[in-house]
Amino acid sequence: MNMKTLTRKSLISLILCLLLLALVPLSSIRAENSSISTHARAAALIDVESGRLLYSSRGDEPMLIASLTKIMTALVAIENGNLTSKVKVGKNAFAKEGSSLYLKQGEEMTLEDMLYGLMLRSGNDAATAIAEHVGGSEQGFVYLMNAKAEALNLTHTHFANPHGLDAEGHYSSANDLAVLTAYAMHNPVFKEIVATKEKTADNPYEKWDYKWSNKNKMLRLYEGADGVKTGYTKKALRCLVSSATRNGQQLVAVTLNDGNDWNDHSALLDFGFNHYPLKTLVERGEAVSGYSLVTGKDFAYPLGQGEEARLITKLVLSEEKSAGVADARGNSGTGASSSANASSFGLKGVIIMQLGGKEIGRVPVYTPSQLPPETSAYEKKYSPAGGTAYPADNWLQAFGSALRALFQSGEDQR
């Protein structure tokens, strides 16, 4: 056998291997690798309950976000407005450029109905009318939007309007949008609106009522999908935030500038559910071993393979200079004092949860007779700083993703 024959056979073998690789389902590749890629310029995936960032690619890069802006618009309006109040359509809102509900000038609609039009049909006229109603003016409402962004520690976000039309000084990042949406999904009104597939609203000015169908096709394409928002401008291109709930776990995926977003979001959500299932680590009222104390709240966290064995829990008592410390395996150590006003509501200390040397959460402990009422998780402030981001750096994933894009066309209707 001469060298030419050997070279020819090697080339044929290489081509056959590549063809076989192209036929391997992406789900199989993902099962063997802990990374994933998308077609997006920037992307993020977050667990709603814990706020843990499960995936990020260019996640902190400020970018145009189009109508994903309306996630913050809806949240601020819900938190600061009266849902039953009547919103009047002014001259600034009437015939606003871009996507529209086609509201008439002088028309009135309840804030609640207008929020449905805002999120389902992405009405820019609704966004402006809501802003003027809740904030007194569009500028006043934008101030509230930026104040909320600051409160949530969205350091790569700044708003210039409530609708998302391209403007100087108007931007956010994939990570910030993930954090914002995870927070917003704890608001029951917001959560119900973005999960709605169709909405009928009263129209006293015509013989017919408004009937809005949600532009977010993930609600129909993905099992368990329950939100959130589409977006598009000529400069921002296709943007999408989606959410889904399976087995009690809710995830939020974000892509910016992604021509294959429906498929990419399905892959991102599958990745999260398959590799980072939510695990309940502490239940409210659970007895603390070795003490006459109980835990004050539930604590759940998404854990990858092998991570649960590396969890460390530290009990820090407030009434002692030092306290016994127990890790996940029951080994003891020493702790430090805490909280000067810990006596309120019988608070006796806190259990600190750590993973990989980083704190992932705290659970207060109380005397059983003084366990306070449960508080809403809605006031929780999320930050991606403590999350673990997994970059898209696997060439096999990128190759398979490109092949899928070649044979499957994305739908561009928003």
Side-chain angles (χ1 to χ4, degrees), residues 120-408:
L120 272 63
R121 298 305 300 171
S122 201
N124 291 339
D125 48 358
T128 302
I130 289 170
E132 292 179 337
H133 175 75
V134 175
S137 66
E138 186 171 309
Q139 294 75 17
F141 188 83
V142 169
Y143 173 83
L144 295 176
M145 295 172 73
N146 286 316
K148 190 65 181 180
E150 184 177 355
L152 292 174
N153 195 32
L154 307 183
T155 56
H156 300 92
T157 297
H158 188 269
F159 297 104
N161 61 60
H163 39 68
L165 292 174
D166 299 331
E168 185 177 353
H170 190 93
Y171 56 83
S172 187
S173 68
N175 286 354
D176 278 5
L177 286 167
V179 172
L180 168 64
T181 308
Y183 172 85
M185 292 303 279
H186 282 86
N187 183 301
V189 176
F190 181 94
K191 186 175 182 178
E192 180 178 354
I193 290 173
V194 298
T196 301
K197 294 179 181 179
E198 288 188 345
K199 173 68 175 178
T200 300
D202 183 52
N203 183 1
Y205 305 94
E206 300 288 350
K207 295 180 180 179
W208 44 268
D209 289 334
Y210 288 106
K211 188 173 183 179
W212 300 312
S213 178
N214 201 319
K215 289 185 177 184
N216 180 14
K217 293 185 179 181
M218 287 295 290
L219 294 175
R220 299 167 179 84
L221 294 174
Y222 190 82
E223 181 184 353
D226 47 20
V228 175
K229 188 73 188 72
T230 62
Y232 176 86
T233 67
K234 290 182 179 179
K235 291 184 178 180
L237 300 178
R238 292 173 67 94
C239 302
L240 179 63
V241 175
S242 69
S243 66
T245 301
R246 290 183 180 176
N247 300 318
Q249 180 180 22
Q250 186 173 37
L251 301 178
V252 165
V254 180
T255 54
L256 303 177
N257 189 347
D258 185 351
N260 195 22
D261 49 9
W262 305 124
N263 290 324
D264 283 342
H265 276 245
S266 293
L268 281 169
L269 293 167
D270 282 347
F271 171 80
F273 288 127
N274 291 336
H275 291 279
Y276 293 92
L278 191 65
K279 173 76 173 179
T280 299
L281 302 175
V282 177
E283 293 185 0
R284 173 180 159 84
E286 186 178 317
V288 179
S289 179
Y291 297 87
S292 297
L293 300 171
V294 294
T295 54
K297 68 175 185 179
D298 295 336
F299 181 79
Y301 201 76
L303 295 170
Q305 186 175 4
E307 286 189 326
E308 188 171 0
R310 296 190 289 112
L311 281 172
I312 301 295
T313 62
K314 297 182 179 180
L315 173 62
V316 180
L317 299 182
S318 58
E319 296 180 345
E320 299 176 9
K321 292 287 185 179
S322 62
V325 178
D327 65 19
R329 296 171 297 281
N331 300 323
S332 62
T334 57
S337 61
S338 175
S339 181
N341 60 350
S343 60
S344 60
F345 290 109
L347 179 63
K348 296 301 180 183
V350 64
I351 296 174
I352 301 174
M353 315 288 292
Q354 293 182 333
L355 178 63
K358 294 183 178 180
E359 182 178 322
I360 61 172
R362 295 190 172 204
V363 177
V365 295
Y366 301 86
T367 54
S369 62
Q370 293 181 296
L371 182 65
E374 279 192 90
T375 56
S376 171
Y378 177 48
E379 293 304 319
K380 195 171 184 178
K381 299 296 188 291
Y382 290 94
S383 171
T388 301
Y390 296 89
D393 57 0
N394 186 289
W395 74 270
L396 286 174
Q397 293 292 330
F399 179 72
S401 187
L403 285 173
R404 182 178 60 184
L406 184 63
F407 294 105
Q408 296 183 4

Side-chain angles (χ1 to χ4, degrees), residues 56-95:
S56 179
S57 175
R58 290 185 173 179
D60 287 330
E61 183 176 333
M63 294 179 61
L64 297 173
I65 60 171
S67 286
L68 302 189
T69 300
K70 290 164 184 158
I71 295 171
M72 180 63 91
T73 302
L75 178 65
V76 170
I78 292 167
E79 290 189 339
N80 295 276
N82 181 344
L83 295 177
T84 62
S85 63
K86 293 285 188 176
V87 179
K88 188 172 184 177
V89 180
K91 62 179 181 179
N92 293 327
F94 173 66

